[in-house]
Amino acid sequence: MKVVFWGLLFSFFVSQKGFAQEYPSYDSLKKSLTRLEADLYQVQLNLHQSQKQLKSGILVATLGYTVTIIGGQLLGTKPELGETLLYVGGATGIVGTVVLFHGFKKISLGPPLPPRSY
């Protein structure tokens, strides 16, 4: 019974405060929607532009680290070739990782802004 009483009392105060609030005007809603559409377009554009770079980075990094693994396997039988493949594959993997990292930086719009109150 106490829970019902406190629930009703709480809902009464919330509803009283709700009547006193001012609702945003049509213009402010239109501005908010326009800003939201512009933000969405910018995110979609950034994703589209970074897609090719992300794919390239993944491909180059995977290729480089695969060559590194092959070089490690060849160290026992052909040490000179294995060592060369280790260095070349490692460098290629690092370059691919850097390309991938720069692709992810393109996606970001920066830190989000706090919502404005009306």
Side-chain angles (χ1 to χ4, degrees):
M1 187 67 185
K2 286 183 181 182
V3 174
V4 173
F5 172 75
W6 287 111
L8 289 174
L9 188 62
F10 177 75
S11 65
F12 174 75
F13 284 116
V14 169
S15 66
Q16 291 299 318
K17 185 176 180 181
F19 287 121
Q21 290 178 345
E22 290 184 26
Y23 292 103
S25 67
Y26 176 74
D27 291 336
S28 67
L29 290 174
K30 190 175 180 181
K31 286 179 186 178
S32 296
L33 184 60
T34 304
R35 188 175 351 110
L36 185 62
E37 287 175 343
D39 289 345
L40 178 63
Y41 173 76
Q42 188 64 42
V43 168
Q44 289 175 337
L45 182 64
N46 287 351
L47 286 172
H48 177 72
Q49 290 175 342
S50 66
Q51 180 181 9
K52 185 177 180 183
Q53 188 170 5
L54 291 172
K55 285 181 180 180
S56 299
I58 290 170
L59 180 67
V60 172
T62 303
L63 181 66
Y65 295 132
T66 302
V67 171
T68 302
I69 292 170
I70 293 170
Q73 295 293 322
L74 290 176
L75 280 176
T77 57
K78 298 179 182 178
E80 291 179 13
L81 178 61
E83 188 176 343
T84 303
L85 287 177
L86 278 174
Y87 289 129
V88 170
T92 305
I94 290 171
V95 167
T97 303
V98 169
V99 170
L100 190 61
F101 180 73
H102 286 297
F104 279 116
K105 283 178 71 176
K106 280 186 178 179
I107 293 174
S108 176
L109 292 175
L113 299 175
R116 294 184 348 193
S117 61
Y118 293 97

